Amino acid sequence: MGRADPEEGHLPAPVKPPDGGWGWIVLFGCFVITGFSYAFPKAVSVYFKELMKDFHVGYSDTAWISSIMLAMLYGTGPVCSIMVNQFGCRPVMLIGGLLASSGMILASFTTNIIELYLTAGVLTGLGMALNFQPSLIMLGTYFDKRRPLANGLAAAGSPVFLSSLSPLGQVLLEKFGWRGGFLIMGGLLLNCCTCGAVMRPLDMGMKRKMEKTQDKYEAKEMLPIGGKSEEGISTADGTKKAKKAKKKPKKGKKLLDFSIFSNRGFIIYTISKFILVLGLFVPPILLVNYAKDTGVPDTEAAFLLSIIGFIDIFARPACGMVAGLKWVRPHVAYLFSFAMLFNGLTDICSARASNYTGLVIFCVFFGISYGMVGALQFEVLMAIVGSQKFSSAIGLVLLIEAFAVLIGPPSAGRLVDALKNYEVIFYLAGSEVVLSALFLAMATYCCLNRGKKKEPPPEKNLSAGGGSDTEEAESDVQEAEEHSSDNHQPAHSTDNTVVAASEEANHVSEEQSGEGGGCPEGDGEVLARDSCNADQMVERDSF
């Protein structure tokens, strides 16, 4: 997503997503960024024992490093949205990669736990947040028809990196210690800058195409036409002056678009996602301790998380492929509800698992349902708000999720300490996930689908359907090309009356541009310019 044109003062018109080409490079970059963002806070936990020895602190003190990383990832969503809307995705990601890397490098020189909170926690967490959100925005601009598959493949980066970063961290810890491990991890995070560098704004190609088209027509205008080239050039210059005068009233660009709260689908999604996050992360956090309490050895208990990660790797792309089917994509919100319902029922049904076989079965089904939720969560949001408002929407959603992340898992831990019973926690977490699924499905059907039937013009971006920006982008491109050809038709005209009266026509066009000419500005500027050019042709014919 490129930066807005400074002369125009507003976001550029949507460009048709290529659904391939350079988009696959963008997808790979998003895969890497997603892997670092979700897996890195968990992978850092392998260093906690050494940190406890060196700094003489408890486990809860070191666990705050991962918590601060996740809090920065979720809580800085609006800040990321503002920066993306102001500067574009690529610069923000480059800065984020440098911050994430410098945070881990500085953390290797710290002398107390507070300094670790500020470097590895705040600085690295902020850097990953500045990478994660823009990468999803770029993915939505490059893919439309294949967007569900692209989201599923990008989301698979989380389990892939989790299964690789944790063993790598253990090896680095054994060979170089935690300081050397942090230093090398900081170097690895510089790959985020590489991923940010490939996030080429999609509208740059369109702008270059339009510039070439305009240059071609301007070159034709310079050619002599029956010894009257000077008059033709002056006519073209008058047209350009009129266009520049029309650009003077600038429209302020919104740094954070709060108008998305008027979208009922967005409100329903946000409420459902808040309830979901309260219980979604509780089972995998408590699973290992739950298995140990039931008598499972430590090594086998840790292997349970590997089972979830392995299943998750294949579940996310597969779910993305299913969501991209023609007969499924219009109902992607209901597929997301089914995934949440599946996950919640898995928690409830497995609450009484008392042996290792039962826990393995739970991990298999939980990995499938967890992967489905991960693959669909951002696809549904893109379908609701569209790619143009996605940058603001995801920032606000992540901020709201941050409160749920700070409430859900800590509350579950306190209940375990108080009740000494994991069954109740699994029942509670599963019930919260089931409640979010039922709320999303029922609210989508009752509030959105019925309202859509009553309104004659159906809205495009509702959560019940996977709204596509392709048709709108194609029409904008077509109108832009027609506008480029219309602006230069007077130069090719051989009408002696128009050529002779060119100076008077320029004078009239400048007066119209000074008075505004009644031509509207804003999102429909291309249409407004076409109508203004048509009016100017009528004025010239009258002369």
Side-chain angles (χ1 to χ4, degrees):
M1 183 176 177
R3 191 168 43 177
D5 190 351
E7 295 183 1
E8 300 288 341
H10 56 78
L11 289 174
V15 183
K16 178 183 177 182
D19 277 305
W22 190 257
W24 297 117
I25 305 298
V26 174
L27 173 59
F28 178 75
C30 190
F31 174 88
V32 174
I33 294 297
T34 303
F36 274 125
S37 300
Y38 279 117
F40 200 83
K42 302 172 185 176
V44 173
S45 61
V46 300
Y47 299 100
F48 284 176
K49 286 187 178 180
E50 293 296 324
L51 294 175
M52 292 166 61
K53 293 179 181 178
D54 284 7
F55 295 144
H56 306 288
V57 293
Y59 180 81
S60 60
D61 297 322
T62 56
W64 271 103
I65 299 174
S66 298
S67 300
I68 293 173
M69 282 187 184
L70 291 174
M72 295 299 294
L73 180 65
Y74 285 97
T76 57
V79 177
C80 298
S81 297
I82 292 173
M83 294 184 67
V84 167
N85 290 335
Q86 180 67 22
F87 304 108
C89 290
R90 181 188 283 176
V92 173
M93 292 184 68
L94 291 174
I95 294 173
L98 292 175
L99 288 177
S101 176
S102 61
M104 292 302 295
I105 293 174
L106 291 175
S108 64
F109 299 99
T110 55
T111 57
N112 56 65
I113 196 68
I114 302 298
E115 293 177 357
L116 268 180
Y117 292 160
L118 296 176
T119 53
V122 175
L123 203 57
T124 301
L126 177 61
M128 290 190 295
L130 293 178
N131 274 273
F132 176 63
Q133 187 171 320
S135 67
L136 292 177
I137 296 170
M138 289 299 299
L139 192 68
T141 59
Y142 269 88
F143 288 91
D144 182 31
K145 295 179 181 179
R146 297 177 178 173
R147 193 177 63 202
L149 175 61
N151 277 314
L153 291 172
S158 175
V160 170
F161 272 65
L162 181 60
S163 59
S164 58
L165 284 179
S166 295
L168 176 63
Q170 189 65 39
V171 172
L172 294 176
L173 178 64
E174 294 174 357
K175 290 189 175 182
F176 305 103
W178 70 267
R179 294 187 184 274
F182 275 24
L183 192 63
I184 296 174
M185 285 286 192
L188 289 177
L189 286 175
L190 283 174
N191 288 293
C192 295
C193 295
T194 305
C195 296
V198 303
M199 300 294 174
R200 185 171 62 196
L202 188 59
D203 62 323
M204 285 181 61
M206 187 61 189
K207 286 181 179 179
R208 290 172 183 171
K209 181 180 177 182
M210 294 299 300
E211 288 175 359
K212 289 180 181 179
T213 306
Q214 290 179 358
D215 291 342
K216 181 179 70 173
Y217 280 105
E218 288 175 0
K220 290 182 180 180
E221 288 176 3
M222 299 298 291
L223 294 175
I225 305 175
K228 298 178 181 179
S229 58
E230 294 180 1
E231 289 84 350
I233 293 172
S234 63
T235 304
D237 292 339
T239 306
K240 290 179 181 178
K241 290 179 181 179
K243 280 193 265 183
K244 289 181 180 179
K246 291 170 193 171
K247 288 182 181 179
K248 287 182 180 179
K250 295 181 180 179
K251 180 181 178 182
K253 184 178 62 173
K254 295 181 179 179
L255 298 179
L256 194 62
D257 191 357
F258 290 98
S259 65
I260 55 176
F261 283 105
S262 62
N263 187 335
R264 290 180 296 178
F266 176 75
I267 295 176
I268 292 171
Y269 174 87
T270 304
I271 297 174
S272 175
K273 197 71 187 299
F274 179 83
I275 302 173
L276 170 68
V277 174
L278 287 175
L280 181 65
F281 301 120
V282 171
I285 291 176
L286 301 179
L287 178 62
V288 175
N289 290 332
Y290 177 44
K292 291 178 180 178
D293 288 352
T294 57
V296 177
D298 293 352
T299 54
E300 295 181 0
F303 184 69
L304 292 174
L305 292 178
S306 301
I307 296 175
I308 294 178
F310 181 77
I311 300 296
D312 195 5
I313 292 174
F314 299 98
R316 298 195 183 207
C319 184
M321 294 178 63
V322 173
L325 298 176
K326 293 182 179 180
W327 55 276
V328 176
R329 191 172 184 185
H331 310 288
V332 67
Y334 297 112
L335 181 61
F336 186 45
S337 300
F338 171 76
M340 292 190 293
L341 182 65
F342 184 17
N343 185 271
L345 292 178
T346 300
D347 296 341
I348 294 174
C349 294
S350 304
R352 292 190 176 183
S354 56
N355 52 42
Y356 189 70
T357 303
L359 291 175
V360 169
I361 295 174
F362 161 74
C363 290
V364 171
F365 284 100
F366 185 86
I368 296 173
S369 59
Y370 190 78
M372 293 175 65
V373 172
L376 294 173
Q377 56 180 344
F378 297 119
E379 168 61 26
V380 174
L381 181 59
M382 289 180 186
I384 293 172
V385 301
S387 60
Q388 294 297 306
K389 294 185 177 181
F390 182 71
S391 60
S392 297
I394 189 175
L396 295 171
V397 167
L398 289 177
L399 176 62
I400 295 172
E401 286 184 23
F403 294 101
V405 169
L406 295 176
I407 294 173
S411 300
R414 291 180 181 178
L415 287 175
V416 169
D417 293 337
L419 302 176
K420 305 297 181 182
N421 187 351
Y422 286 93
E423 262 187 55
V424 177
I425 307 304
F426 273 73
Y427 282 131
L428 181 61
S431 300
E432 290 169 344
V433 177
V434 169
L435 177 62
S436 66
L438 296 177
F439 174 78
L440 178 61
M442 295 177 64
T444 299
Y445 178 77
C446 298
C447 299
L448 297 182
N449 284 2
R450 289 188 176 182
K452 186 168 64 173
K453 292 179 182 178
K454 293 179 182 179
E455 298 175 0
E459 295 181 2
K460 212 170 191 181
N461 292 329
L462 294 176
S463 66
S468 174
D469 298 329
T470 304
E471 297 178 358
E472 182 181 355
E474 288 176 350
S475 63
D476 289 336
V477 172
Q478 193 172 11
E479 289 171 2
E481 292 176 352
E482 293 175 357
H483 161 60
S484 177
S485 61
D486 289 343
N487 284 341
H488 300 87
Q489 284 181 358
H492 298 285
S493 175
T494 58
D495 191 350
N496 295 332
T497 306
V498 176
V499 175
S502 60
E503 294 180 359
E504 300 177 20
N506 293 338
H507 179 67
V508 172
S509 63
E510 289 175 1
E511 289 179 352
Q512 289 177 348
S513 64
E515 296 171 359
C519 297
E521 294 283 348
D523 296 335
E525 186 176 359
V526 175
L527 295 175
R529 290 178 179 174
D530 288 344
S531 62
C532 291
N533 291 330
D535 294 340
Q536 292 174 7
M537 290 295 295
V538 173
E539 291 288 340
R540 293 174 181 175
D541 290 338
S542 65
F543 278 98

